Every structure is written in structure tokens, then in C-alpha cells.
Amino acid sequence: YIDNIIVARLIGTAELGIYSRAFYLIAMPANLFGNLNKSVVFPLLSQVQDDKARLRTAQLKGYALTAALALPFSAFLSCFANELVLTVLGQKWVDAVVPIMAFSSAIYFRLGYKVCSAVTLATGRSYQTASMQITYMALVASFAFFSAPYGVNAVAFAVSGAIATSSILYAAISCRMTGLSALDFALVHVPPVASAAVVFATGSAVKMLLAGSPDYLVLATGFLVIGTLSVVT
């Protein structure tokens, strides 16, 4: 929560309220996924920690599933951030739209970080896990501090960048541990990225067609259309 302290001290408590509500949207799925890691993923990986091939396959599937869930969800939130805020929180929270868009882009990196953590812990690399936590804290603190003079929106984008940077570093470490190649890691993300692009394009089309309609109607229609498309896909 060091970024919250920086926002409160350097920008203001009102801006902290906006910032924290926006961040909650990405923290919630990350926390749920973290609980899943502890109860299911970690024990499974621990059982195959001495079998590099099976561990590598499980790691790759973890990245694939995480990307398949998170990237389209990120695209949906980024596209409908304005409608979501106005429908759920109300007009007084309109300043939270940009931070929500910023944090939405980091959802996958928050979840991917959990996959990396499960791999390092399951193989007994607790010191590497601790060092990555320290690195993560340092990146968030420094990015938030140096972006604070430019406002809460800048901090949101900077902290999202810090989350992405730490997740990529952690992924590189965990992939090197299991022998997972960079090419396989990249290829497994291609279908989810394509799916996210389709979600964003479909959402943008819905917003164009329903321009001028109530926000709740645009949000509900987008959810229905994209949800149906996702099920069919």
C-alpha cells in the first residue's frame, strides 16, 4: 500500500479515494486468484517440482489460462470504464475513469505474477520470491513518487507500468528456472491477445451504435454482446 501513502501525502486524500477505488477493481481478481494459487495451484506444482517437463507444462498452462481470462476482461474494462463508473459509482466519481483504464491494463500482470510466485514457491525458491516482492515494492514506490507531481492519473499509469515491469522480470526468472523458452511463452499469449482485441473492437462498435443512450444501457448491451461472443468463441 505504499503507493496509497504517496498519493495521500503528495497529492491529497480526495485523490486517494479515487485512486484506491480504481485500484480495487484490479486487486479483487488478483486476490481471488491468489487464494486459488494457495489452495490448488501450489500443491499441484509442488507434487511435480522434480519433474521439469511436467512443471514446465503446468507453468505454460497457467500462463495460458491466466491470459485467456485476464486480457479480454482488461479490454472490456478499458472500453467501458466510463459507463461502468457512471452506472455503479455515479457522476461524482467520474475522475476515477482514467485510473480505472490505467489499472485495467495491468490486470494480467497482477495475475501472471501469481503464477510465477506459485512456481518459485513450489520449487523451494523462497528467497527468490522474497527478492521479487522487494523489487516489486521498490518499483511501485519509485514510479509512484516520481509521477505524483503530475497528478493521480499519472500515478495510476506509472504504478501499472511498475506492476507490468515486475511481472515481466518475475516471468523471466521463473521461465529460466523451468527451462520454458521465450518463444513458447510468447506464443501462448497470441490467442488471448487476439481475443482481447476483438473484445475491445466489439465494445467500441457497441458504444458507437448506442451513442447518446443511457450509460447503464450501453454497459448492459456491451456485456450481453461480448458475453455471447465469448461463449460462442
Side-chain angles (χ1 to χ4, degrees), residues 3 5 15 27 36 68 76 83 85 87 100 110 115 120 136 142 148 173-174 178 184 206 224 232:
D3 51 330
I5 297 172
E15 288 77 8
L36 177 64
F76 181 86
E83 289 75 16
V85 168
T87 301
I100 286 175
R110 284 275 302 213
V115 176
T120 55
Y136 173 78
S142 58
I173 292 172
S174 61
T178 60
D184 288 338
V206 169
L224 178 63
V232 171

Side-chain angles (χ1 to χ4, degrees), residues 12-87:
T13 52
E15 288 77 8
L16 174 62
I18 294 170
Y19 181 89
S20 61
R21 288 304 86 196
F23 190 84
Y24 178 75
L25 281 177
I26 71 159
M28 182 170 58
N31 290 336
L32 290 173
F33 195 80
N35 293 333
L36 177 64
N37 261 340
K38 292 177 182 178
S39 60
V40 179
V41 179
F42 172 72
L44 291 176
L45 291 179
S46 298
Q47 292 175 12
V48 298
Q49 61 176 298
D50 297 320
D51 188 338
K52 280 288 184 70
R54 292 181 66 188
L55 183 62
R56 189 163 51 246
T57 300
Q59 180 186 19
L60 196 62
K61 288 180 178 180
Y63 287 129
L65 179 60
T66 301
L69 294 174
L71 290 175
F73 182 56
S74 294
F76 181 86
L77 281 180
S78 297
C79 186
F80 291 97
N82 185 67
E83 289 75 16
L84 181 66
V85 168
L86 293 176
T87 301

Side-chain angles (χ1 to χ4, degrees), residues 195-207:
S195 177
V198 171
V199 167
F200 192 85
T202 303
S204 299
V206 169
K207 292 179 68 172

Side-chain angles (χ1 to χ4, degrees), residues 76 79-80 83-84 87 203-226:
F76 181 86
C79 186
F80 291 97
E83 289 75 16
L84 181 66
T87 301
S204 299
V206 169
K207 292 179 68 172
M208 288 178 61
L209 291 172
L210 296 179
S213 300
D215 296 305
Y216 68 87
L217 180 61
V218 177
L219 181 63
T221 304
F223 184 79
L224 178 63
V225 172
I226 293 173

